[in-house]
Amino acid sequence: LVSFVVEENQALGDGFPRVSLDAPSPIVLNGGGCTPSDTAHYACSFELEMDETTHKAAEGAWPIRVELEDAAGNRFTDPTLEDQLVFVDFTAPKAECSISTSRAQAGETILLTVTLSERIAGAEPDVESTLGFDLNPLLSDALGTPPRYVFEYDVPIEAGEFDWAYAVQANDLVGNPGSGAPLCSGGGFIDGVAPTLHSEQAITLK
């Protein structure tokens, strides 16, 4: 949705304004129009419902182009709004994940690092795990290139032995979700039991 106000004392020209995204193949916003808000201004609103089949090739950040002409033929001379960008994005985020150790012992800290292909919606990706991972903001960089999130889990002293798993999901800034499957997944093993020695015979040292 693109909204703006036009200052004009007279009527607008027939078929104006024309609003488009200034992409290599311009994308025209046909839906909408302008209505007088007072004697010298028009309130304008245009929208375009994007779909991947039609607009996939136009992915990127594009300025808004507004062509204006009044009923007398006077033209707006600076049509491209360079500081107003529309982001066209149909690509789901991707992620690479790594863990600091796949076999952790009691008292050890497991780090899960999630590196994403682009910035995401929300404060952090969604980590589903049989362990209680918490985000470490000091090790993370959500605004980095690429964005990176580091989660940690402290293995209890009396942890026992068990397998664990994780799966990561996230949406990008425009709402593209992952492919349905987790962006990345994996797991490891908690070995919190020390070895013991069993012997049915006495050991004699000579």
Side-chain angles (χ1 to χ4, degrees), residues 67-101:
E67 297 178 74
L68 287 172
E69 184 177 296
D70 63 18
N74 297 306
R75 298 295 298 267
F76 178 53
T77 58
D78 188 19
T80 303
L81 307 180
E82 298 286 354
D83 59 340
Q84 301 292 323
L85 297 178
V86 173
F87 292 86
V88 180
D89 180 8
F90 296 103
T91 302
K94 297 180 176 61
E96 293 183 359
C97 298
S98 63
I99 53 177
S100 57
T101 178

Side-chain angles (χ1 to χ4, degrees), residues 102 104 130-131 153 155-156 158-165 188-192:
S102 61
T130 48
L131 304 182
Y153 173 76
V155 181
E158 297 181 358
E161 294 182 338
F162 58 92
D163 293 305
W164 64 273
F189 183 73
I190 301 292
D191 184 358

Side-chain angles (χ1 to χ4, degrees), residues 59-141:
E59 285 194 320
W62 310 112
I64 300 168
R65 183 178 181 85
V66 180
E67 297 178 74
L68 287 172
E69 184 177 296
D70 63 18
N74 297 306
R75 298 295 298 267
F76 178 53
T77 58
D78 188 19
T80 303
L81 307 180
E82 298 286 354
D83 59 340
Q84 301 292 323
L85 297 178
V86 173
F87 292 86
V88 180
D89 180 8
F90 296 103
T91 302
K94 297 180 176 61
E96 293 183 359
C97 298
S98 63
I99 53 177
S100 57
T101 178
S102 61
R103 193 177 186 91
Q105 60 185 352
E108 189 172 359
T109 298
I110 301 173
L111 298 180
L112 168 61
T113 301
V114 181
T115 304
L116 289 146
S117 59
E118 58 182 304
R119 291 175 60 186
I120 61 170
E124 61 191 66
D126 180 26
V127 177
E128 297 183 2
S129 176
T130 48
L131 304 182
F133 279 102
D134 293 316
L135 180 69
N136 185 323
L138 297 179
L139 299 179
S140 301
D141 186 5

Side-chain angles (χ1 to χ4, degrees), residues 161 191-200:
E161 294 182 338
D191 184 358
V193 178
T196 57
L197 177 64
H198 296 278
S199 176
E200 297 179 355

Side-chain angles (χ1 to χ4, degrees), residues 25-70:
S25 296
I27 301 172
V28 179
L29 282 70
N30 292 318
C34 299
T35 56
S37 58
D38 54 44
T39 56
H41 297 88
Y42 291 81
C44 304
S45 181
F46 290 80
E47 64 181 4
L48 172 67
E49 185 171 337
M50 309 287 287
D51 70 86
E52 184 172 0
T53 301
T54 305
H55 302 108
K56 174 68 174 178
E59 285 194 320
W62 310 112
I64 300 168
R65 183 178 181 85
V66 180
E67 297 178 74
L68 287 172
E69 184 177 296
D70 63 18

